[in-house]
């Protein structure tokens, strides 16, 4: 089993460059298969989720080439192969193959998603959207069976009962080749949705309104090849901003889009973290005398659920009681008991998380319950006196490109070991 070993308490200094966004990439890759020609994605992060998606593409008879962050996806000989079990279940985002295979073949069989356990993660809104477009949807033995009648998919108006990134993207994928117009109301507005729509439009789709809560899609007959550069990962950027505020002695986080990070920056500002925002970078000054704040996660542009676990260690450097309410995933609390093993005073009462600070952290053996909890433990490990050993790091490697190398370059004492 691989583990991360961190000897904490060392000040970090220098620059770190943010990779392409994981949550865009895992949608862009399935989106690319709808084209009838090769699609080139630039800035693809070197993460386990990408490796898993490439294997799934190859199982679909899609040719791929991945060199230095450039992924070429050639779907010209893709086959409609049912995938009720196996690799496809290894990651949650493989649910995007539902929308993508519906668009390409008018059918598909996709095993139900795995991924991080953050409490219940239903996909009812995805399925509601497919049905509204005229697909037949059967949920059987852990897989979703999708088919269409002779008429194929037909555009319609779909109101999303909850604001969902996954459902918005999945229904968009299905709708790009549907006959006529589809309108998605109460759509999610995350930057990753705009990124997927940018790719689809470059492929010849006709989509308007991405980034607002109403997206309109005019179906087209075919999609062609193109090339596209993925947006920077705002969650990875947010994680390194927390690292910089926690243990930095002057750290520049490069390749960021400030607008995507406004809710996090506002909170860090409220805590007293000193930052300087450049054109596409953010410089974080050494931080002392931080103040505890309250955080409520919301759909974009609210505070991202994916950043609540990674900012939490900063509360150990802050005076007062910090309170976190995660309205997206109220059960996303896996980091709390592990941080407590390191000396934190965290409580979870009726899904409300509180931390008392300041609290010195000490190294301990801890386990990553999910991707962002794991990243939070890395931040805590860098802060702690002594050695922290993190297990279950597969979660972390699913989503953070070269995390060990990037932190080492900043001066961190972190290694990956096999135990
Ligand atoms: N929801 C439903 N029904 C649905 C879909 C969602 O009730 O059909 C609920 C969910 O239970 C949740 C809320 O709607 O309470 C929002 O979920 P959403 O569908 O937006 O989440 P997702 O698309 O499954 C993506 C990211 C997550 C991120 C969430 C929220 C990807 C691959 N995953 O998940 O990222 O937390 O949006 O922003 O894009 C991560 O990166 O660590 C991660 C978990």
């Amino acid at each position: 089993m691989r583990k991360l070993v961190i000897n904490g308490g060392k000040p970090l200094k220098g620059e770190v460059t943010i990779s392409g966004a994981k949550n865009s990439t895992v949608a862009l890759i399935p989106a690319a298969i709808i084209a009838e020609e090769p699609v080139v994605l630039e800035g693809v992060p070197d993460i386990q989720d990408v490796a898993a998606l490439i294997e799934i593409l190859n199982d679909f008879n899609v040719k791929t080439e991945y060199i230095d962050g450039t992924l070429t996806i050639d779907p010209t000989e893709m086959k409609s192969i049912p995938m009720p079990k196996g690799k496809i279940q290894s990651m949650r985002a493989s649910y995007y193959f539902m929308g993508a295979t519906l668009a390409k073949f008018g059918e598909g069989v996709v095993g139900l998603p795995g991924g991080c356990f953050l409490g219940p993660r239903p996909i009812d809104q995805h399925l509601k959207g497919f049905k509204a477009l005229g697909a037949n949807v059967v949920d059987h033995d852990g897989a979703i069976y999708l088919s269409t009648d002779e008429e194929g998919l037909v555009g319609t108006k779909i109101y999303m009962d909850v604001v969902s990134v996954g459902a918005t993207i999945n229904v968009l994928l299905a709708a790009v080749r549907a006959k006529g117009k589809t309108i998605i109301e109460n759509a999610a507005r995350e930057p990753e949705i705009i990124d997927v729509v940018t790719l689809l439009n470059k492929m010849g789709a006709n989509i308007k309104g991405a980034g607002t809560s109403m997206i309109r899609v005019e179906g087209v007959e075919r999609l062609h090849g193109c090339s596209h550069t993925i947006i920077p990962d705002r969650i990875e950027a947010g994680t390194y901003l927390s690292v910089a505020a926690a243990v930095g002695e002057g750290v520049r986080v490069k390749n960021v889009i400030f607008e995507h990070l406004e809710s996090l920056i506002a909170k860090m500002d409220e805590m007293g973290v000193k930052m300087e925002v450049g054109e596409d970078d953010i410089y974080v000054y050494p931080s002392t005398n931080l103040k505890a704040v309250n955080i409520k996660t919301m759909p974009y542009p609210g505070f991202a659920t994916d950043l609540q676990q990674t900012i939490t260690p900063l509360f150990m450097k802050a005076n007062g009681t910090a309170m976190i309410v995660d309205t997206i995933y109220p059960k996303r609390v896996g980091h709390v008991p592990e941080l407590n093993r390191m000396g934190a005073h965290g409580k979870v009462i009726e899904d409300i998380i509180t931390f008392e600070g300041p609290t010195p952290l000490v190294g301990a053996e801890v386990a990553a319950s999910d991707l962002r909890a794991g990243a939070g433990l890395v931040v805590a490990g860098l802060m702690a006196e002594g050695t922290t050993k993190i297990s279950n790091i597969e979660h972390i490697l699913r989503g953070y490109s070269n995390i060990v190398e990037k932190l080492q370059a900043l001066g961190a004492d972190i290694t990956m070991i096999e135990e």
Side-chain angles (χ1 to χ4, degrees):
M1 186 202 274
R2 285 186 293 179
K3 293 186 179 177
L4 286 178
V5 179
I6 304 172
N7 292 311
K10 305 229 170 1
L12 305 195
K13 204 174 167 59
E15 298 181 343
V16 59
T17 302
I18 298 309
S19 302
K22 161 189 165 281
N23 287 346
S24 273
T25 307
V26 297
L28 294 168
I29 292 174
I33 60 126
I34 310 172
E36 282 164 39
E37 288 156 5
V39 169
V40 179
L41 298 176
E42 313 261 7
V44 176
D46 185 8
I47 53 176
Q48 284 301 319
D49 271 6
V50 167
L53 280 167
I54 290 175
E55 283 185 35
I56 295 168
L57 287 183
N58 297 156
D59 288 349
F60 272 122
N61 208 38
V62 174
K63 290 197 195 76
T64 54
E65 190 184 73
Y66 184 31
I67 304 170
D68 289 339
T70 299
L71 175 63
T72 305
I73 298 169
D74 180 356
T76 43
E77 284 167 31
M78 178 172 180
K79 294 194 169 66
S80 175
I81 297 170
M83 298 211 184
K85 297 257 180 268
K87 236 168 281 159
I88 202 145
Q89 294 170 295
S90 71
M91 59 177 305
R92 186 168 172 78
S94 52
Y95 56 36
Y96 290 130
F97 284 111
M98 295 182 199
T101 55
L102 257 182
K104 191 167 181 91
F105 301 115
E107 62 176 18
V109 178
V110 175
L112 280 175
C116 283
F117 181 78
L118 311 173
R121 296 179 77 182
I123 55 163
D124 55 301
Q125 297 304 304
H126 305 230
L127 305 184
K128 170 181 157 173
F130 299 150
K131 284 182 198 158
L133 290 167
N136 308 308
V137 179
V138 178
D139 181 348
H140 172 68
D141 195 20
I144 303 292
Y145 291 71
L146 302 155
S147 61
T148 42
D149 301 331
E150 238 164 65
E151 209 185 352
L153 299 177
V154 180
T156 185
K157 192 183 270 194
I158 299 160
Y159 177 82
M160 296 284 175
D161 300 333
V162 294
V163 178
S164 160
V165 176
T168 302
I169 293 177
N170 229 345
V171 173
L172 270 173
L173 295 178
V176 282
R177 294 184 62 219
K179 286 191 201 82
K181 185 180 253 178
T182 300
I183 297 177
I184 305 176
E185 290 180 325
N186 201 24
R189 296 184 283 157
E190 269 67 2
E192 292 75 17
I193 290 170
I194 302 179
D195 206 24
V196 172
V197 167
T198 304
L199 173 78
L200 289 169
N201 282 343
K202 281 186 190 170
M203 285 161 61
N206 182 355
I207 306 170
K208 297 200 172 79
T212 77
S213 54
M214 193 193 288
I215 304 182
R216 300 180 308 282
V217 187
E218 198 69 59
V220 296
E221 295 249 316
R222 77 185 284 281
L223 296 183
H224 52 75
C226 69
S227 89
H228 175 74
T229 302
I230 299 168
I231 57 168
D233 194 314
R234 64 195 166 99
I235 311 301
E236 190 197 17
T239 306
Y240 283 100
L241 289 174
S242 289
V243 168
V247 288
E249 292 232 313
V251 171
R252 191 176 299 281
V253 182
K254 292 168 66 175
N255 190 33
V256 301
I257 297 177
F258 166 73
E259 289 72 17
H260 295 172
L261 287 158
E262 273 186 298
S263 55
L264 173 74
I265 305 273
K267 275 294 152 192
M268 289 177 64
D269 199 35
E270 203 179 314
M271 290 184 77
V273 178
K274 298 266 175 298
M275 289 164 283
E276 202 174 284
V277 176
E279 207 167 283
D280 64 351
D281 62 20
I282 300 173
Y283 183 79
V284 185
Y285 291 93
S287 301
T288 46
N289 292 330
L290 297 183
K291 277 199 312 265
V293 293
N294 295 334
I295 286 176
K296 194 177 211 176
T297 72
M298 303 286 254
Y300 189 85
F303 193 97
T305 167
D306 294 338
L307 287 173
Q308 63 95 344
Q309 290 163 304
T310 57
I311 198 177
T312 294
L314 269 191
F315 299 143
M316 310 316 142
K317 268 184 82 168
N319 283 302
T321 306
M323 183 171 80
I324 305 160
V325 178
D326 193 329
T327 70
I328 312 289
Y329 294 116
K331 303 291 177 207
R332 198 169 199 174
V333 297
H335 54 312
V336 179
E338 301 307 298
L339 288 171
N340 286 350
R341 279 174 198 269
M342 299 176 71
H345 302 298
K347 288 196 193 109
V348 185
I349 300 170
E350 291 181 357
D351 297 337
I352 296 175
I353 306 171
T354 52
F355 277 94
E356 297 287 339
T359 323
L361 292 173
V362 283
E365 298 221 357
V366 290
S369 58
D370 57 82
L371 169 59
R372 308 300 172 189
L377 294 176
V378 172
V379 182
L382 293 167
M383 293 167 74
E385 275 306 318
T387 304
T388 297
K389 209 184 250 188
I390 309 176
S391 56
N392 291 352
I393 61 166
E394 272 56 41
H395 288 300
I396 303 172
L397 303 178
R398 276 188 36 229
Y400 285 88
S401 189
N402 300 315
I403 187 165
V404 171
E405 294 78 1
K406 286 186 184 185
L407 288 170
Q408 280 174 346
L410 288 171
D413 183 347
I414 177 170
T415 43
M416 198 182 320
I417 59 160
E418 189 76 47
E419 203 172 71

